[in-house]
Amino acid sequence: MNWFSIYVLNDEWEIGQANGYRSMGKLTGSLEWKNLVRHAEVLKRKHLKTLFNADTARFERFSLTHGDLLIDFSKQRIDTTTLALLRKYAEFSQWQTWRDRMFAGEAINHTEGRAVGHWRLRAGRTAPDDVRDVLGRMERFCNQVRFADWVGFSGKPIRHIVNIGIGGSDLGPRMLVEALKAYHLKGVRVHFVSNLDGADLATTLEELDAESTLFIVASKTFTTKETMTNANTARNWLLQKFSGEEKSISRHFVAASCNVQQAERFGISTENVFPFSDWVGGRFSVCSSVGLSVALAIGFERFQQFLGGARDIDQHFFSAPIESNVPLTLALLSFWNGSFLGARSEAVFPYSHSLRLLPAYLQQLEMESNGKRIDRDGTEVDYLTSPIIWGESGSNGQHSFFQLLHQGTELVSSDFIVMAEPDFSPPGHHDGVLANCLAQSSALAFGKSSTELEPEEIQDSWGDYRCCPGNQPSNTLVLPTIEPFTLGQLVAIYEHKTFCLGVLWNLNSFDQWGVEFGKLLADRLRPVISGNVSPEMYDASTRGIVAHFSKLKHK
Ligand code: F6P
């Protein structure tokens, strides 16, 4: 019996308080934290050049492999003592206990009283019955659409799928559909609409023929204003095309949601709702029915391969020891850079056009999860939490903001993500991509001193301007190629990294109260914008801007 069966078969997914949790106290006052602070003072004075020169086995010492994946972190500003101290801290943080609690289905999302079960969505044969039921229904549905057993209201096969969702109900599937272009089935195109700004939906609809279009309303809650506004407009557009025939809705709208009742109220019949449970967080939901657009784009079999990749990392994360645990190691490095070396941001550079939406996906995953200031014990933290995550596909980024990394004043740790083999292969491109990726991480790490200037560079008086200090840390993640399985691995690595970081900072990574606050204010302001409520109770800036809107509207 494997580890999954042990968990899944033994418990009935009992949701209670995470018992046995001991308060962490003030993290910065702990011996483990203080040791890292002291050690950072030493490491801050060391250059990566010196660290590499001092240790010929640095790459072997500071890299991990998992199957065909390589994770090279030798260009991080660490030495063996750093890793030892970080691992001591990890033990102090009880990372293993928290991990096991997550896999045991405890309500570790304590502020919402929920378990954290995205890993259950890909547990294969040991997944809960309802998860397997939905996967079975998704498979049938994908095949029906693919082989035109499912047709539109007027009998036309489906040629366009439009995923309407936002945040976790958009960024994950959008990133994957883009990344897996090489695997797209012929005859169907997948579009994404997320923005409340009507330009998003309007320009998408312009291209579409209602008779061959299927909308997926992806929303965990089925109440998100942006999504419901877009879904209602799309519904009206469809009804207009079918002369108000309500029955057309059930052939052209399906839903991925926890809120089946609300989806039905919208007009989507129960059999067209693909549900998931509330123990799946929005930003962790791409392996749920929120991934339906991905399954329709690449076929269900390949979607299963994607889930298989994620499962492979779940098993690794659950069973690998601290020294070889990939997600934990990445989290420890992030923790080190942010909390001890002072890096306020972390960049993600996929050296792949197909993976260019990865930074946006990771922004939500990491910043919505760990952009917090109150810890699990209810105390305000006195350390930096989530770094600002940003990035762009590698080759493009080099010609815009890389200058700041090379010669600016910010310490930034970067993740370079690169594929040994390309997904599209016009000759003469991929070697250049690999060379650029390696050149950038080397240039950032080792820099260029005045003694390393080329002869032609010292003939004028601009030598100082040409020098690059280096010492910018990075990880390089090498994947064999872009395929569903490896992307499943990549997604799960970052999901578990995010979880581990939350544990290291003693945060609950699974709520997002700040976002809820913004939503509430927008709801209150709506009637003010429409002119139905006076803005007088608002601040001077809001009042001034509202007045200016009105002036421009009535010009
Ligand atoms: O931005 C807040 C948030 O709740 C995200 O966590 C979520 O992914 C997104 O809104 C969309 O929510 P829903 O899937 O419920 O429409």
Side-chain angles (χ1 to χ4, degrees):
M1 190 180 278
N2 68 21
W3 65 272
F4 255 113
S5 4
I6 292 167
Y7 274 103
V8 176
L9 297 179
N10 278 359
D11 78 302
E12 241 328 296
W13 198 231
E14 211 162 275
I15 300 192
Q17 278 303 309
N19 42 29
Y21 167 67
R22 74 164 158 76
S23 148
M24 291 300 293
K26 201 169 175 204
L27 296 182
T28 51
S30 69
L31 181 67
E32 290 77 3
W33 188 291
K34 285 183 184 158
N35 283 342
L36 281 161
V37 172
R38 261 195 300 275
H39 177 66
E41 290 314 312
V42 179
L43 255 285
K44 275 180 192 167
R45 291 194 295 272
K46 290 197 176 164
H47 199 285
L48 274 165
K49 236 188 232 176
T50 322
L51 293 172
F52 268 83
N53 288 339
D55 182 3
T56 49
R58 195 171 163 85
F59 171 75
E60 290 72 20
R61 213 182 298 288
F62 299 123
S63 62
L64 290 173
T65 52
H66 172 73
D68 288 336
L69 301 180
L70 167 72
I71 296 90
D72 169 29
F73 53 98
S74 58
K75 294 193 192 98
Q76 287 290 343
R77 290 168 60 173
I78 55 167
D79 61 15
T80 44
T81 309
T82 325
L83 268 193
L85 291 175
L86 285 168
R87 287 171 183 157
K88 269 242 158 333
Y89 181 87
E91 271 157 17
F92 161 73
S93 76
Q94 311 177 71
W95 78 280
Q96 228 163 329
T97 313
W98 282 107
R99 178 197 64 183
D100 296 354
R101 282 185 176 145
M102 174 171 76
F103 283 116
E106 286 189 35
I108 58 169
N109 174 359
H110 70 296
T111 58
E112 296 181 326
R114 287 180 186 156
V116 172
H118 48 277
W119 57 273
R120 287 201 147 195
L121 301 165
R122 57 236 186 179
R125 282 181 295 113
T126 59
D129 288 348
D130 52 348
V131 168
R132 281 187 294 132
D133 280 355
V134 173
L135 282 170
R137 286 181 50 212
M138 283 169 68
E139 178 171 20
R140 277 192 296 283
F141 180 68
C142 287
N143 288 335
Q144 282 173 338
V145 171
R146 183 173 176 184
F147 300 113
D149 288 337
W150 177 289
V151 288
F153 187 58
S154 58
K156 277 198 183 176
I158 300 301
R159 296 281 172 245
H160 295 275
I161 315 281
V162 185
N163 186 84
I164 299 180
I166 197 164
S169 300
D170 168 73
L171 291 162
R174 189 192 284 261
M175 181 270 288
L176 288 173
V177 165
E178 199 56 47
L180 291 168
K181 248 196 183 137
Y183 297 86
H184 281 198
L185 298 171
K186 299 265 173 297
V188 66
R189 276 185 61 205
V190 181
H191 312 258
F192 288 86
V193 171
S194 57
N195 205 312
L196 177 60
D197 180 351
D200 195 1
L201 182 66
T203 52
T204 305
L205 293 181
E206 253 170 31
E207 292 182 45
L208 307 179
D209 157 34
E211 290 177 272
S212 56
T213 298
L214 176 80
F215 294 95
I216 302 171
V217 185
S219 175
K220 176 175 170 176
T221 54
F222 225 85
T223 55
T224 305
K225 290 287 171 354
E226 292 87 339
T227 299
M228 294 331 295
T229 306
N230 279 322
N232 280 313
T233 307
R235 189 178 184 279
N236 291 340
W237 174 83
L238 189 93
L239 284 175
Q240 208 182 20
K241 304 277 172 174
F242 286 115
S243 316
E245 188 53 79
E246 290 276 342
K247 283 193 189 128
S248 62
I249 302 295
S250 64
R251 302 310 296 169
H252 292 270
F253 275 88
V254 299
S257 183
C258 292
N259 193 345
V260 179
Q261 277 185 346
Q262 199 62 29
E264 286 167 350
R265 243 171 256 147
F266 177 87
I268 300 176
S269 36
T270 324
E271 64 272 20
N272 296 344
V273 183
F274 298 89
F276 57 97
S277 300
D278 69 0
W279 38 257
V280 179
R283 50 196 173 272
F284 295 85
S285 66
V286 70
C287 292
S288 73
S289 55
V290 164
L292 183 60
S293 54
V294 184
L296 285 161
I298 63 175
F300 191 77
E301 206 179 307
R302 286 183 176 136
F303 186 68
Q304 285 281 34
Q305 291 165 7
F306 163 75
L307 297 183
R311 178 166 61 249
D312 170 66
I313 293 298
D314 294 340
Q315 289 171 341
H316 162 81
F317 178 53
F318 184 80
S319 56
I322 195 164
E323 296 76 23
S324 57
N325 201 298
V326 172
L328 176 71
T329 302
L330 289 175
L332 286 173
L333 295 167
S334 214
F335 177 64
W336 169 244
N337 285 317
S339 298
F340 302 97
L341 297 188
R344 292 176 302 173
S345 84
E346 218 165 79
V348 185
F349 302 128
Y351 269 69
S352 154
H353 178 70
S354 302
L355 257 188
R356 67 189 178 283
L357 300 182
L358 183 69
Y361 166 72
L362 294 180
Q363 270 175 342
Q364 187 204 13
L365 179 64
E366 297 205 31
M367 290 162 77
E368 197 166 80
S369 297
N370 291 327
K372 312 272 169 73
R373 59 193 307 121
I374 302 294
D375 70 14
R376 283 192 165 275
D377 304 322
T379 310
E380 181 154 359
V381 302
D382 57 353
Y383 41 87
L384 292 179
T385 57
S386 175
I388 295 158
I389 307 289
W390 58 286
E392 160 72 280
S393 63
S395 187
N396 290 356
Q398 283 174 223
H399 296 273
S400 63
F401 47 73
F402 268 55
Q403 166 62 30
L404 177 145
L405 300 178
H406 289 299
Q407 292 187 310
T409 50
E410 280 287 328
L411 177 69
V412 181
S413 176
S414 307
D415 278 3
F416 288 87
I417 296 158
V418 67
M419 272 46 70
E421 294 292 332
D423 47 347
F424 289 93
S425 48
H429 287 246
H430 199 62
D431 285 357
V433 169
L434 299 185
N436 270 279
C437 178
L438 282 178
Q440 292 302 319
S441 65
S442 299
L444 289 175
F446 307 123
K448 180 173 174 168
S449 67
S450 54
T451 57
E452 290 164 316
L453 294 173
E454 305 292 331
E456 61 278 15
E457 291 181 317
I458 43 181
Q459 297 189 352
D460 54 32
S461 45
W462 309 126
D464 286 349
Y465 291 91
R466 290 191 165 105
C467 290
C468 295
N471 222 11
Q472 292 278 35
S474 68
N475 300 310
T476 302
L477 278 68
V478 182
L479 278 60
T481 188
I482 290 194
E483 57 192 3
F485 185 83
T486 52
L487 290 192
Q489 290 179 309
L490 194 66
V491 161
I493 285 176
Y494 278 103
E495 282 178 349
H496 294 317
K497 172 200 166 188
T498 302
F499 165 75
C500 288
L501 268 170
V503 172
L504 299 174
W505 284 316
N506 193 28
L507 302 170
N508 174 10
S509 305
F510 303 100
D511 58 14
Q512 59 284 316
W513 300 103
V515 184
E516 306 306 330
F517 171 55
K519 288 183 191 169
L520 188 78
L521 287 195
D523 284 349
R524 288 195 186 142
L525 267 163
R526 233 191 135 114
V528 175
I529 303 291
S530 319
N532 299 330
V533 168
S534 155
E536 75 195 17
M537 78 239 260
Y538 286 92
D539 60 274
S541 164
T542 306
R543 286 199 311 269
I545 296 170
V546 169
H548 197 71
F549 285 154
S550 160
K551 199 163 92 192
L552 294 180
K553 256 194 229 167
H554 298 111
K555 216 171 164 185

